[in-house]
Amino acid sequence: MNEQKTAALVAVNLSEPSEIANKSVTKAVRLLRELASRPKTGATVSTLAKAVGISRPTAFRLLYSLERTGMVDRIDNNYILGSEVSRLGRHADPYAGLAARALPLLRELADQFNETVTLSVPNAKDELDLIAEAAGSHVVGTTSRMSHHMIGKQFPLHASSSGKVLLAEWPIKKIVGRLPERLDAFTAHTITDRTALLAELDQIRESGFALIDNELEEELISLSLPVRDSSGNLVAIVSLNGPRYRFGPDRIPEGLHQMQQLVERLVDVFWQDSTIA
C-alpha cells in the first residue's frame, strides 16, 4: 500500500465515542485525504470544500492552519500535501493501526468457521503484504506453504485468491507486462496459461470475489474479497482459507456471505469518522 492509501486508513480510536471527536480535526483530515487523491495536480479551496462537503470559509481556515504547520503547501491558488506529511510518514508503521483495528473482526470470522482469516494490503511494488491473521484451531493447509503465522509472507499473485483480486484491479496491459505467458505451477490445478488467467480475472471483476481450489496447495480452498474506500479504490483484501475436506465447495456460499458482512464492518472501522459533520 502506498503512503497516500495508508493515510486514508487513519481513523479515530474505537474506544472513544464519536461525540468527543474534534470536528475541526476530522474536517482537516478529510482535506488531507482529498489532497492525497490529487498528488500531482492539487486543488483549489473551492474544489476541496465541495469534495469533502464543507463550506469554503471553513476549508480556507483549515487549509491556512495546515499550511502554517507544513502539512500543506500552496502554489498559486492550488494546495498540495506538504513536506511535513512526508516526514511524519517516514516514522509511521504503515500497517500497525490498520491491523489492530481489523484483528478482532478477523477473529470472529475465524472462530465462526474454525479456519484462518487474513488481511492483505497492496504495496508500492504491486505485491501484497499479509499484515493480519486470525487462526482457528485447525492448521490451514496440508503443506508448509499455508500454515499459522503467515504474517509477512507473500504468495504468487496468479495462484492465490488475494493475488487474483489484486490482478483483477489492473488493466490488461499491466498484467501482460507483469506476468509471462507461461506461469509457474504449484499443483496440477494451477492456472499456468496467462490467457486462461485473464479470462478468470474477467469473472472475478464481474462476481466481486476470487476463489482458488487446489491451485496453490493440494486440497486448499481460499476465498478473497476486496475492501474499498469511498472512492472505490482497493485498500485491503480479506481471505478465508481452509482445506477442502473441512471447508469444501458446499460452504463457499456461506463463506462469501459472512465475508461480505466482515468487509462492511471493516469499512465502518477504517472510516468511521466519515459521517461526522
Side-chain angles (χ1 to χ4, degrees):
M1 180 187 296
N2 59 34
E3 292 182 0
Q4 296 163 1
K5 288 184 179 178
T6 301
L9 295 174
V10 177
V12 295
N13 191 296
L14 289 177
S15 63
E16 297 177 351
S18 60
E19 290 77 7
I20 67 172
N22 187 294
K23 294 183 178 181
S24 292
V25 173
T26 299
K27 292 172 183 177
V29 171
R30 288 182 187 172
L31 290 169
L32 292 174
R33 290 175 177 170
E34 184 62 28
L35 285 174
S37 71
R38 308 165 183 264
K40 295 182 179 180
T41 62
T44 64
V45 174
S46 298
T47 298
L48 291 169
K50 183 178 180 179
V52 303
I54 62 178
S55 69
R56 188 182 184 282
T58 297
F60 179 80
R61 289 195 299 271
L62 292 172
L63 289 166
Y64 177 78
S65 297
L66 291 170
E67 184 181 4
R68 291 192 57 129
T69 57
M71 301 298 285
V72 303
D73 288 326
R74 181 161 55 93
I75 302 175
D76 296 327
N77 292 323
N78 266 28
Y79 288 87
I80 60 173
L81 289 179
S83 59
E84 184 67 6
V85 173
S86 178
R87 188 188 72 81
L88 292 174
R90 288 195 294 270
H91 295 283
D93 182 327
Y95 303 140
L98 177 62
R101 291 183 176 90
L103 192 55
L105 302 184
L106 301 184
R107 284 175 178 155
E108 288 184 23
L109 187 62
D111 290 343
Q112 182 176 355
F113 284 87
N114 209 14
E115 303 294 354
T116 297
V117 181
T118 61
L119 185 74
S120 302
V121 295
N123 61 30
K125 297 180 180 179
D126 283 332
E127 297 173 345
L128 288 171
D129 293 328
L130 198 157
I131 66 166
E133 171 194 27
S137 61
H138 298 304
V139 175
V140 172
T142 56
T143 74
S144 61
R145 184 182 298 278
M146 296 288 287
S147 61
H148 294 305
H149 311 301
M150 293 188 288
I151 293 176
K153 294 184 178 180
Q154 293 182 332
F155 301 98
L157 298 183
H158 72 282
S160 60
S161 59
S162 57
K164 289 183 180 182
V165 169
L166 179 61
L167 288 174
E169 297 290 302
W170 296 358
I172 293 178
K173 183 177 180 180
K174 182 175 180 179
I175 298 172
V176 170
R178 175 69 179 267
L179 301 181
E181 291 186 12
R182 300 303 300 177
L183 304 164
D184 292 338
F186 298 93
T187 73
H189 302 279
T190 305
I191 296 177
T192 58
D193 179 74
R194 189 176 64 194
T195 300
L197 177 64
L198 290 173
E200 181 172 340
L201 295 179
D202 284 338
Q203 297 176 1
I204 292 170
R205 295 183 189 101
E206 183 176 348
S207 67
F209 72 92
L211 165 71
I212 61 166
D213 186 355
N214 288 300
E215 295 176 50
L216 182 61
E217 273 185 23
E218 294 289 350
E219 295 301 308
L220 174 68
I221 284 183
S222 178
L223 289 171
S224 289
L225 287 178
V227 181
R228 302 184 185 278
D229 63 18
S230 59
S231 299
N233 299 310
L234 176 71
V235 294
I237 300 170
V238 174
S239 301
L240 174 60
N241 315 283
R244 215 173 192 274
Y245 68 88
R246 288 196 311 259
F247 186 61
D250 60 314
R251 299 196 70 189
I252 289 176
E254 177 192 6
L256 288 173
H257 176 70
Q258 296 301 328
M259 289 176 71
Q260 184 58 52
Q261 291 187 342
L262 170 62
V263 167
E264 293 170 1
R265 294 176 66 192
L266 287 172
V267 169
D268 288 340
V269 167
F270 295 159
W271 297 284
Q272 64 170 333
D273 64 330
S274 61
T275 59
I276 298 176

